[in-house]
Amino acid sequence: QVQLVESGGGLVQAGGSLRLSCAASGRAFSSYTMGWFRQAPGKERELVAAIAWSRGATFYADSVRGRFTISRDNAKNTVWLQMNSLKPEDTAVYYCAAGNSGSFPRTVSYAYWGQGTQVTVSS
């Protein structure tokens, strides 16, 4: 079992930055691929960024590449999402997820999810 708790969301003006954190508890955090997803009202949930458990390979959605950075510290059981140059279309609830099956990055099966944190970007 892995428990995930996100923090760091909030209200920011367009062009601003936020850093989301996801603290994990449980066993073998370092063996999990970690992903950040988001879901805006009326839209499907989408994978924003992911970081593999080994060698730190990363994936970014086209919509955030160059603006967002995912990182992890296995010693601290934490994964972060640094979000720069935020746009109103980045407004969503952001979820942290952990998975350890499937192929990185697109077919990972995420078994554990956090409760989500709201990010609102005003124009």
Side-chain angles (χ1 to χ4, degrees):
Q1 284 281 354
V2 176
Q3 294 80 42
L4 304 171
V5 178
E6 303 98 334
S7 61
L11 174 64
V12 64
Q13 288 188 333
S17 298
L18 283 175
R19 190 191 196 202
L20 305 184
S21 298
C22 175
S25 60
R27 305 179 68 177
F29 170 78
S30 62
S31 68
Y32 286 87
T33 290
M34 300 300 297
W36 283 99
F37 291 76
R38 68 185 180 188
Q39 188 165 22
K43 295 188 176 181
E44 293 187 354
R45 186 177 61 196
E46 64 171 333
L47 176 63
V48 173
I51 186 165
W53 69 272
S54 65
R55 296 190 296 274
T58 57
F59 164 83
Y60 297 96
D62 289 344
S63 57
V64 306
R65 188 175 293 113
R67 300 188 297 122
F68 290 11
T69 302
I70 188 171
S71 59
R72 68 189 295 166
D73 186 332
N74 290 334
K76 296 182 178 179
N77 280 12
T78 303
V79 62
W80 296 274
L81 185 68
Q82 178 67 44
M83 305 185 296
N84 299 328
S85 303
L86 283 161
K87 304 175 181 180
E89 51 263 43
D90 294 319
T91 296
V93 178
Y94 284 71
Y95 299 90
C96 173
N100 63 355
S101 63
S103 298
F104 187 86
R106 297 188 181 277
T107 63
V108 174
S109 177
Y110 290 92
Y112 304 104
W113 294 81
Q115 82 288 349
T117 186
Q118 177 70 46
V119 171
T120 303
V121 184
S122 63
S123 58

